[in-house]
Amino acid sequence: MNSLGAVTFATQAFVTLFVIMDPPGATPIFLGLVGDKSPRERVRLAWQAAGVSLFVIASFALFGRFILDYMNVSIEALQAAGGLLLLYVALQLLTGNKNTGTENASNNIGMVPLGTPLLAGPGAIVATMIYVQKADTNAQILGLVIAILAVHLIIGTVLMASTKIVGLIKDSGVTLLASIAGLLLAAIAVQMLANAIKAFAAS
């Protein structure tokens, strides 16, 4: 396939992943989770979330089918598990208990739930695995790699830029953001569970 085909393939992959992972949509949830952190910590968590998401997506791009087949886990089961995890975090945000547990666990929110399953969720994982299967040439593979890296660079940049907002609002604003984040996470979690149940019923 010529270079134009590879560019088109990479562009399609980029747009698909960007829409599914939705960095702007993840911003209020991110802000709600990091509102009580220092400015430096917020920036670190922004890039940690992007890095963890990149690691998860890259891992499933390389070994996704083998991992799921070896563990006998379906995409629907992965989706349901992600939904339950997000619902748990959402309930913590809505009840004001997001800082319970160890300090180490609190500092790992960039990994869970931000990095995965919010950003690198079942939808992004499945889309990546499909594009890996579709890539027939080295140029397409390179284009897919660039697309994945570009999406995560944008994710880190958007989340890092959004931390400026926290510095402009007071504690009441942070509390409101946490409540909004909890509501959004709960809605996402319920939708993920509903999709998983629908897929299970159809199979």
Side-chain angles (χ1 to χ4, degrees):
M1 181 172 270
N2 57 34
S3 59
L4 179 61
V7 171
T8 301
F9 182 81
T11 302
Q12 290 176 345
F14 172 83
V15 172
T16 300
L17 289 176
F18 185 85
V19 171
I20 293 175
M21 301 177 84
D22 189 16
T27 296
I29 298 172
F30 170 73
L31 293 178
L33 289 168
V34 303
D36 59 339
K37 306 294 183 184
S38 68
R40 183 176 180 179
E41 186 72 0
R42 292 173 202 144
V43 172
R44 185 187 72 81
L45 288 171
W47 287 106
Q48 183 185 62
V52 169
S53 176
L54 176 60
F55 174 78
V56 172
I57 291 296
S59 297
F60 274 92
L62 294 172
F63 312 111
R65 181 54 58 188
F66 170 78
I67 294 173
L68 294 182
D69 289 345
Y70 179 77
M71 300 185 67
N72 196 25
V73 174
S74 66
I75 294 296
E76 292 79 13
L78 189 67
Q79 191 169 19
L84 289 173
L85 179 59
L86 286 183
L87 186 59
Y88 172 71
V89 176
L91 291 175
Q92 286 186 313
L93 283 170
L94 290 171
T95 57
N97 293 325
K98 67 187 180 79
N99 291 323
T100 57
T102 64
E103 182 65 23
N104 185 53
S106 177
N107 288 333
N108 284 337
I109 59 176
M111 298 182 183
V112 179
L114 288 173
T116 185
L118 184 60
L119 292 172
I125 289 172
V126 172
T128 302
M129 291 171 62
I130 290 174
Y131 275 105
V132 168
Q133 292 176 344
K134 287 182 177 179
D136 296 324
T137 66
N138 290 334
Q140 287 181 330
I141 293 173
L142 178 60
L144 179 59
V145 170
I146 293 174
I148 292 173
L149 290 174
V151 168
H152 286 88
L153 182 61
I154 292 175
I155 288 173
T157 303
V158 169
L159 294 183
M160 181 184 68
S162 72
T163 62
K164 304 293 184 183
I165 299 175
V166 179
L168 301 177
I169 59 179
K170 298 180 180 179
D171 290 343
S172 57
V174 172
T175 302
L176 176 62
L177 274 177
S179 298
I180 294 174
L183 186 61
L184 291 174
L185 268 182
I188 294 171
V190 171
Q191 187 62 56
M192 287 176 66
L193 287 171
N195 292 341
I197 292 172
K198 189 184 300 182
F200 275 127
S203 62

